[in-house]
Amino acid sequence: MPRTLPPLAALLAFEATARHQSFTRAAVELSLTQTAVSHRIKELESLLEIQLFTRKQNTTRLTDEGRTYLDCIRPALAQIAAATESVSSARDNRLTIASLVAFSSRCLTPALKDFQRLYPQIELRLTALAPTDRLEQREFDVAIWHGSDDWRDFDAERIADEDIFPVCTPELLESGPPLRTIDDLKNFPIVRTVSPIITDDWTVWLRQAGSSIDAFDREINCETLSFAMNAIVEGLGVGIGRSVLVRQDLASGRLVAPFEFRYASSAGYHVLSRPERSGLRKVQLFKRWLISTFGTAT
């Protein structure tokens, strides 16, 4: 292998062509001509002394060597992009917010107009987090995560104390059988979050409420909490709400809580930042706004 590094332009052309499996679509993405993309691929193939693609009957496919090379360089390209974004973000007024989808859709996004009004000079960049993500591998200024404040490598502040309790639409109660006791839940469709990663809050609420119910006759199983919340709001069944997520829905009457008992969870939503970024003014302003906006959710 040559000791000189391949030109970055050639690597980007290779990655885009491999992702699209098309020289034409790669050219559109990179704002180049198809000829220019083809020239950069040939330059890279000449440097590596391997064939990266096969081109037959208007189709473009990676060779075995090309796929191996792609698997090696793709993480490096992602790291370069993340590092560039990190340095750029730290020096300007762009604030990168990574958030779990349920919190983002139910809480953060609807409230961001207020933050923009207060701090119009801060440019926002929103990115989604999944419960399976490893935070240490993600680039952000602040992250909104759920758990019990056990993130050693981050500065974490709890956004609000959290209660969990059943919620549903008033229309579901009006059209269905009576829902006066916990046992009456057996007569309703139940929305549950079923995932190897996310713990279903129904189990702990039922146990703390003193119920022996361990299964329901009619369940709507959702892979993510965001899906589950959408199903509840659309009236598909009774589900468990987190106080932070359902505060606005309860206030507007879109959802109701059929039982008085609420379980105070040890977990909750937190806002995280890396120590080297916690002192940035944009990070401090956002944290302060976030906690003041959602800090009275229970």
Side-chain angles (χ1 to χ4, degrees), residues 234-247:
E234 293 301 323
L236 297 183
V238 183
I240 287 290
R242 294 175 177 173
S243 53
V244 177
L245 298 185
V246 300
R247 179 181 66 170

Side-chain angles (χ1 to χ4, degrees), residues 109-164:
T109 304
L112 276 178
K113 280 187 178 180
D114 179 60
F115 183 81
Q116 288 182 312
R117 178 184 60 81
L118 292 171
Y119 308 107
Q121 74 278 12
I122 297 179
E123 175 188 343
L124 299 177
R125 182 174 185 267
L126 306 179
T127 183
L129 289 174
T132 54
D133 283 342
R134 297 180 62 182
L135 290 180
E136 65 272 14
Q137 296 180 352
R138 295 293 302 270
E139 281 298 325
F140 53 80
D141 293 310
V142 291
I144 298 170
W145 199 247
H146 189 270
S148 301
D149 195 11
D150 53 357
W151 305 284
R152 292 173 297 176
D153 297 330
F154 298 92
D155 293 329
E157 296 182 54
R158 194 179 184 96
I159 296 172
D161 292 332
E162 181 175 274
D163 292 341
I164 58 173

